[in-house]
Amino acid sequence: MIEETDMKLLFIFLLIGLFSCSDGYKNTELLMINLDEISYEPMDISAVADSVIYIHFDNSFILPGFVSLHWADSCFFVNTREGVLKYDTRGRFLCKIGDIGDGPKEYPRYSYRCIMDKSNEVIYIYVYSEQKLLSYSFTGKFIKSVQVELPDDIKIYFPSFAYMQGDLIYFYYDNNMGKSGKRPYYWLSIKKDGTFVESYKGYKEIVEKYAGVYGIFYAAMNDSTVVYYDLFEDSIYHVTPHRSYAAYLWGQGSFRLLENDPFPTPPVERRICTHFFDTKNFLLFQVTNFNRQPDNVNFFVYYDKKNGEFAKIQKEDLLFDERINVPLFPRSLIQIDGREYFICQTNTAALLSIPEAVPWGMDGDDLEGNPVLVLVRLKDE
């Protein structure tokens, strides 16, 4: 039989356990991001980097730029208007992966997504109009073509991006993809033989003239993790092979999109966030208000993970290299030998003051010159 003293002690221990659990929960609460509460704080963004590397594309092709980039150990692949091109780390053209065309081993000029399987040295090209997956070796040799199994209500839509994550290929979609009254697809995964594995959908149903065309953006953190978010939902997800979870939360405020916002011009106080980079030491993401004139808003938000402070950075202040007064906008985040790099892009004309950065020169009839890949190496601590 429990005596009164023992009951009191048991009650005290239960209270201690309860408060301990509560404190533990608080310590694991997710960071909440509220754009209405972030003010402009001048900062030197170059302080987050310890070096800047320029890789000038040679003149084998005259290119206005590249759409996406895939980095391998001694070379890289770029998705361009000329197709998927392979360069060495000095910017010398090596070979073309497949070719543009309508043949069984070819892909259309714009309607494809490129995926790199680095560990097996294979480049996959998904042709969405035919739901087929072409594979090529790193030397450009055609391997095979397989049909991709997708649910009927998503196969007609073009994935906005695709990544090799672990042993699966992931397709990521804008959150307005799908039929009215249905929950939108966020992402899905397939095996390399085209077999469908699984999909993940949003919670809210699509409505007609959905303002959600602006609602979704994502960026790779590293070789296996993608940041994905829908501005109609609170959660900002980390998507990893076979698993996804909420990493951060959007706060509540006038910046949040609403389902009944008019399309294509929501209220001027609404914001969209693009190019969300989740690095080891900080977050960096772009904020705009749909390029509304004359009230255009376009800035970057920086969050320091060590001191827990936010800062607002103007676009023109993204100066990673003190030798040039040219803002460099991160396009993606990659890892090379365990170090994080921002992938940026500029052109030959912007770097003429640094001759060693543009060794291939510039055609006299070309006002901007070929693209220059910029690798901004981030500090490790």
Side-chain angles (χ1 to χ4, degrees), residues 147-312:
Q147 286 300 123
V148 176
E149 301 172 4
L150 295 178
D152 290 338
D153 56 346
I154 194 62
K155 65 173 54 176
I156 64 172
Y157 296 104
F158 193 22
S160 297
F161 216 87
Y163 281 110
M164 174 66 67
Q165 294 176 248
D167 58 343
L168 298 176
I169 295 173
Y170 277 73
F171 293 161
Y172 293 88
Y173 295 87
D174 288 349
N175 69 349
N176 65 322
M177 295 297 183
K179 297 180 180 179
S180 178
K182 301 292 185 180
R183 291 166 55 202
Y185 282 86
Y186 280 179
W187 62 81
L188 58 82
S189 58
I190 63 170
K191 294 180 180 179
K192 290 182 281 188
D193 64 1
T195 304
F196 175 77
V197 178
E198 61 182 353
S199 64
Y200 187 91
K201 294 184 177 183
Y203 292 106
K204 296 184 178 180
E205 296 178 352
I206 296 174
V207 295
E208 286 195 53
K209 295 189 176 180
Y210 193 47
V213 69
Y214 299 113
I216 166 61
F217 295 92
Y218 35 80
M221 282 176 61
N222 51 49
D223 289 340
S224 63
T225 305
V226 166
V227 179
Y228 185 103
Y229 53 97
D230 175 349
L231 293 179
F232 294 98
E233 280 195 29
D234 293 339
S235 296
I236 300 171
Y237 296 97
H238 280 179
V239 186
T240 65
H242 305 284
R243 179 173 178 253
S244 62
Y245 57 92
Y248 310 104
L249 297 173
W250 294 117
Q252 299 300 317
S254 60
F255 74 94
R256 291 286 295 270
L257 282 169
L258 301 178
E259 291 180 5
N260 58 356
D261 282 341
F263 174 84
T265 53
V268 70
E269 65 269 20
R270 301 288 189 262
R271 301 287 182 264
I272 58 174
C273 302
T274 69
H275 301 91
F276 194 114
F277 302 107
D278 190 346
T279 78
K280 176 181 177 181
N281 296 318
F282 62 88
L283 304 179
L284 182 72
F285 53 91
Q286 189 175 10
V287 177
T288 79
N289 68 339
F290 315 93
N291 296 316
R292 298 282 291 277
Q293 300 294 342
D295 302 308
N296 182 40
V297 171
N298 199 331
F299 60 87
F300 283 77
V301 170
Y302 174 89
Y303 173 75
D304 190 316
K305 292 183 178 181
K306 292 182 178 179
N307 62 28
E309 295 180 356
F310 285 94
K312 186 186 295 185

Side-chain angles (χ1 to χ4, degrees), residues 357-375:
V358 285
W360 303 109
M362 181 173 169
D363 191 312
D365 296 327
D366 191 349
L367 297 178
E368 294 186 343
N370 255 2
V372 179
L373 165 64
V374 187
L375 296 173

